[in-house]
């Protein structure tokens, strides 16, 4: 039981490049979400999914795409990286809306 | 969205001291969680507590939903308690709004 696994742990991109941040969970959790954490701003919700095939936007969705083709995986795609997307990205999952979240260890992304 | 305010923003304690962290929120919620982010950046869920009181070892939490606040108590603090404590809430059950956190430093 690995919990929530995020890859990669670190990434440097050039402006305009695209990439996918991977998130996988092995706990059969229905709910998954992506947050970004910036200094002094706490965590802000990017996108979330309440089950396979269902996604919705959070507070800061611009510049990011998601899909949920399986219960286990919830990748986050950066379409054209910008320096403003430099941040630490966290993936989280929960069994239901009445249970606590489990977070992955994060991906530190730098866009130059 | 729901506004979440945490206080104090920073706290320094000596080992063995007790502390109370507060979380105020602007609307009714059906999901409230407390998290600890350790100095290595890992986020650990401490409590799922939309109402009532829970205890886990030296930590306990109380949420008074009707008055829109929650408290996290840390007793007999240890250096390993250092880090940032976040309160997060939702009224949909799913999309959590996070406060800006309380940064705690426990000194030997």
């Amino acid at each position: 039981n690995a919990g929530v696994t995020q890859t990669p742990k670190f990434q440097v991109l050039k402006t305009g490049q695209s990439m996918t941040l991977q998130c996988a969970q092995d706990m059969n959790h229905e709910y998954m979400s992506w947050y970004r954490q910036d200094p002094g701003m706490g965590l802000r919700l990017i996108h979330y999914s309440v089950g396979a095939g269902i996604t919705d936007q959070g507070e800061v969705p611009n510049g990011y795409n998601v899909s949920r083709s399986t219960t286990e995986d919830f990748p986050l795609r950066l379409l054209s990286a910008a320096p403003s997307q430099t941040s630490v990205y966290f993936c989280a999952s929960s069994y239901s809306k009445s249970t606590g979240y489990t977070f992955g260890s994060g991906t530190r992304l730098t866009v130059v | 969205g729901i506004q979440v305010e945490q206080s104090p923003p920073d706290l320094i304690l000596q080992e063995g001291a007790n502390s109370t962290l507060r979380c105020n929120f602007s609307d009714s919620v059906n999901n409230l969680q407390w998290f600890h982010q350790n100095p290595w950046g890992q986020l650990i869920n401490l409590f799922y507590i939309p109402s009532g009181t829970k205890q886990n070892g030296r930590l306990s939490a109380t949420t008074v939903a009707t008055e829109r606040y929650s408290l996290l108590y840390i007793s007999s603090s240890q250096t390993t308690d250092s880090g940032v404590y976040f309160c997060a809430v939702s009224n949909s059950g799913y999309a959590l709004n996070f406060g800006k956190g309380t940064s705690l430093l426990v000194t030997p």
Side-chain angles (χ1 to χ4, degrees):
Chain A
N1 189 333
V4 179
T5 302
Q6 290 186 237
T7 56
K9 293 191 184 305
F10 301 94
Q11 183 71 47
V12 178
L13 287 179
K14 293 183 179 179
T15 297
Q17 287 184 318
S18 62
M19 79 159 295
T20 299
L21 280 61
Q22 301 292 344
C23 176
Q25 53 87 14
D26 61 358
M27 300 173 285
N28 200 30
H29 285 179
E30 285 297 317
Y31 178 69
M32 297 184 74
S33 56
W34 277 101
Y35 287 84
R36 59 177 289 173
Q37 185 176 28
D38 302 297
M41 301 190 71
L43 281 83
R44 292 182 293 168
L45 181 65
I46 304 171
H47 286 283
Y48 66 97
S49 168
V50 299
I54 305 170
T55 64
D56 206 346
Q57 296 181 351
E59 180 185 356
V60 288
N62 292 339
Y64 307 95
N65 269 357
V66 292
S67 60
R68 184 97 180 269
S69 56
T70 67
T71 300
E72 294 78 18
D73 300 296
F74 191 44
L76 179 72
R77 299 181 185 85
L78 279 69
L79 308 173
S80 177
S84 61
Q85 293 178 304
T86 294
S87 188
V88 180
Y89 291 84
F90 287 97
C91 178
S93 73
S94 67
Y95 182 72
S96 75
K97 61 182 178 182
S98 302
T99 55
Y101 280 26
T102 299
F103 274 87
S105 57
T107 294
R108 185 173 295 272
L109 176 68
T110 302
V111 183
V112 298
Chain B
I2 303 175
Q3 304 302 308
V4 183
E5 292 187 4
Q6 292 187 241
S7 60
D10 302 282
L11 187 58
I12 300 176
L13 298 175
Q14 211 162 21
E15 208 166 19
N18 302 327
S19 63
T20 301
L21 282 57
R22 187 175 179 102
C23 171
N24 292 332
F25 42 95
S26 62
D27 203 350
S28 59
V29 300
N30 56 15
N31 190 332
L32 187 147
Q33 301 185 36
W34 283 97
F35 297 89
H36 174 223
Q37 187 168 38
N38 64 28
W40 296 272
Q42 182 67 38
L43 283 155
I44 305 298
N45 188 288
L46 299 175
F47 294 104
Y48 167 81
I49 186 166
S51 63
T53 297
K54 290 186 177 180
Q55 182 161 4
N56 184 0
R58 297 180 297 103
L59 301 181
S60 64
T62 294
T63 297
V64 184
T66 53
E67 297 187 22
R68 299 182 184 170
Y69 73 89
S70 183
L71 302 173
L72 178 69
Y73 305 96
I74 305 174
S75 65
S76 304
S77 59
Q78 301 176 357
T79 56
T80 51
D81 295 330
S82 296
V84 182
Y85 290 81
F86 289 103
C87 171
V89 305
S90 172
N91 58 12
S92 70
Y94 288 115
L96 288 179
N97 287 331
F98 279 73
K100 294 187 177 181
T102 292
S103 180
L104 174 64
L105 176 64
V106 181
T107 61

